[in-house]
């Protein structure tokens, strides 16, 4: 029983809801972009289940490598039991067929993440301890593959707006990645890692987090200005400045401060994301009330070319007449 409890703590349960938001964003974007009705919830449920198991395997391998004794962000310092590594590989093997139940795209994305999890935390490779490999794995795994897994089960084709926003989302993942290691320089150095914070120090690590945020912010402002995303998103701009001010204050802390700064940073990012979603929801409700095209069809530009810009009722009639929900949509229920 002690082993089960230790394994449970090592997956950092508080982090799981944040993890599941990543494929959810991809799934939600596919619906928003084309103003779709609910698509393939069963497939998406398989994605979420696979991502929980993938996360468990990833965290267990990471814990076996780190052997944490100090602060653990959103987790507890627990000595990994003997079963940690076997359980990790079992989870990484199991998550792949689970994801293939959702579809080929989700299965391939999960396979890639499982392979990267091994490379990230296996002692013979330990990409985690390298200044460039660590960020790259997090960008590809959390920033690109995770939303893609959710997006893929909807079965819609890509378009320029999706690709641009997907790239910005991936870059945005680097901000919390760098922030999460800013206070761990001493501990990483003792383990022999050459992480970004060990090589360049906490201040430059937080500067890297700020740079990632500024790129995403700049891209978001441009997309809102040209009408690819709702212009009401610009009202969230002060919140991003609020986050940046926290990073500036944090960078003045000696030795990167403590994990409390990372928790405050995560809280501000989550708050900003909620406000941004609320703004988009408000715009959706306004469009619906005014009987205008909604969601991604209601923006000023950037619409997918395979969907007519019609209000919801007329759009459903069009779908019925054409016997389709979206070109290429799997529409599996």
């Amino acid at each position: 029983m002690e082993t089960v409890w230790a394994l449970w703590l090592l997956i950092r349960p508080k982090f799981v809801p944040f993890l599941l938001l990543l494929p959810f964003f991809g799934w939600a974007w596919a619906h928003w972009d084309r103003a779709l009705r609910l698509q393939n919830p069963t497939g998406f449920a398989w994605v979420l289940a696979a991502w929980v198991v993938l996360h468990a395997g990833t965290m267990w391998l990471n814990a076996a490598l780190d052997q944490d004794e100090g602060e653990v962000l959103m987790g507890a310092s627990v000595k990994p039991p003997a079963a940690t590594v076997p359980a990790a590989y079992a989870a990484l093997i199991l998550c792949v067929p689970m994801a293939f139940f959702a579809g080929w795209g989700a299965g391939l994305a999960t396979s890639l993440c499982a392979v990267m999890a091994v490379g990230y935390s296996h002692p013979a490779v330990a990409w985690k301890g390298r200044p460039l490999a660590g960020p790259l794995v997090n960008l590809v795994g959390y920033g690109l593959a995770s939303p893609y897994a959710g997006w893929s089960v909807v079965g819609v084709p890509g378009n320029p707006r999706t690709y641009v926003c997907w790239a910005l989302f991936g870059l945005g993942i680097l901000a919390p990645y760098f922030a999460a290691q800013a206070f761990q320089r001493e501990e990483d150095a003792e383990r022999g890692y050459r992480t970004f914070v060990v090589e360049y120090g906490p201040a430059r690590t937080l500067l890297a987090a700020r740079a990632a945020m500024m790129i995403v912010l700049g891209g978001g402002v441009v997309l809102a200005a040209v009408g690819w995303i709702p212009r009401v998103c610009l009202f969230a701009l002060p919140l991003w400045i609020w986050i940046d001010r926290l990073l500036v204050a944090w960078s003045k802390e000696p030795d990167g401060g403590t994990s409390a700064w990372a928790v405050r940073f995560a809280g501000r990012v989550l708050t900003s994301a909620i406000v941004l979603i609320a703004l988009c929801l408000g715009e959706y409700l306004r469009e619906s009330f005014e009987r205008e095209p909604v969601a991604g069809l209601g923006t000023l530009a950037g619409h997918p070319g395979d969907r007519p810009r019609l209000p919801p009722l007329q759009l459903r009639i069009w779908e019925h007449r054409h016997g389709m929900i979206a070109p290429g949509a799997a529409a599996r229920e």
Side-chain angles (χ1 to χ4, degrees):
M1 195 64 183
E2 290 182 3
T3 295
V4 174
W5 180 244
L7 290 174
W8 168 253
L9 292 176
L10 287 172
I11 72 169
R12 305 186 194 183
K14 292 181 181 179
F15 185 68
V16 172
F18 295 95
L19 170 85
L20 296 182
L21 285 175
L22 301 179
F24 173 77
F25 284 147
W27 188 69
W29 174 271
H31 286 79
W32 178 88
D33 186 49
R34 286 176 162 78
L36 295 176
R37 290 173 286 174
L38 184 65
Q39 299 299 297
N40 197 9
T42 301
F44 183 58
W46 276 110
V47 169
L48 294 182
W51 238 246
V52 170
V53 177
L54 170 66
H55 170 72
T58 300
M59 290 293 99
W60 289 333
L61 272 187
N62 183 72
L65 178 68
D66 284 351
Q67 297 291 321
D68 279 310
E69 296 181 357
E71 289 185 280
V72 177
L73 184 61
M74 299 187 74
S77 180
V78 179
K79 181 176 177 59
T84 301
V85 172
Y89 284 113
L92 293 176
I93 292 171
L94 176 62
C95 69
V96 173
M98 290 175 65
F100 272 107
F101 276 112
W104 279 94
L108 292 174
T110 307
S111 301
L112 173 62
C113 289
V115 170
M116 290 193 299
V118 176
Y120 192 74
S121 297
H122 192 285
V125 185
W127 290 338
K128 176 181 181 175
R130 302 185 184 184
L132 297 181
L136 181 62
V137 168
N138 278 268
L139 185 154
V140 174
Y142 290 120
L144 299 179
S146 295
Y148 172 77
W151 178 85
S152 68
V153 302
V154 180
V156 294
N159 56 50
R161 177 166 62 182
T162 294
Y163 298 139
V164 171
C165 291
W166 187 25
L168 288 175
F169 185 89
L171 289 173
I173 289 296
L174 290 178
Y177 167 78
F178 285 123
Q181 65 173 250
F183 64 93
Q184 296 182 340
R185 182 181 189 180
E186 183 177 344
E187 194 170 355
D188 281 359
E190 289 176 354
R191 295 183 181 122
Y193 296 166
R194 293 178 52 247
T195 54
F196 196 93
V197 69
V198 171
E199 293 290 294
Y200 303 106
R204 290 187 179 179
T205 301
L206 291 169
L207 181 61
R210 292 181 65 201
M213 278 191 51
M214 288 300 104
I215 292 173
V216 175
L217 176 61
V221 169
V222 170
L223 291 178
V226 300
W228 275 27
I229 61 176
R231 286 183 172 170
V232 295
C233 293
L234 293 172
F235 286 108
L237 181 59
L239 292 171
W240 292 102
I241 299 173
W242 179 51
I243 297 172
D244 185 69
R245 293 303 88 194
L246 175 69
L247 291 175
V248 171
W250 185 1
S251 66
K252 296 177 182 177
E253 287 287 307
D255 299 322
T258 67
S259 62
W261 283 94
V263 172
R264 290 173 62 191
F265 172 76
R268 293 195 181 191
V269 170
L270 180 61
T271 299
S272 301
I274 291 172
V275 171
L276 193 61
I277 292 171
L279 288 170
C280 292
L281 178 59
E283 179 67 3
Y284 181 92
L285 294 175
R286 184 200 65 79
E287 292 164 344
S288 299
F289 182 78
E290 298 290 339
R291 297 182 180 178
E292 299 175 357
V294 299
L297 300 181
T299 56
L300 296 176
H303 326 103
D306 49 35
R307 297 276 283 177
R309 295 191 65 222
L310 297 171
L313 180 58
Q314 287 88 336
L315 185 62
R316 304 314 167 212
I317 295 172
W318 176 86
E319 291 171 347
H320 178 73
R321 287 177 176 174
H322 288 76
M324 62 199 305
I325 294 175
R332 297 182 297 272
E333 299 296 338

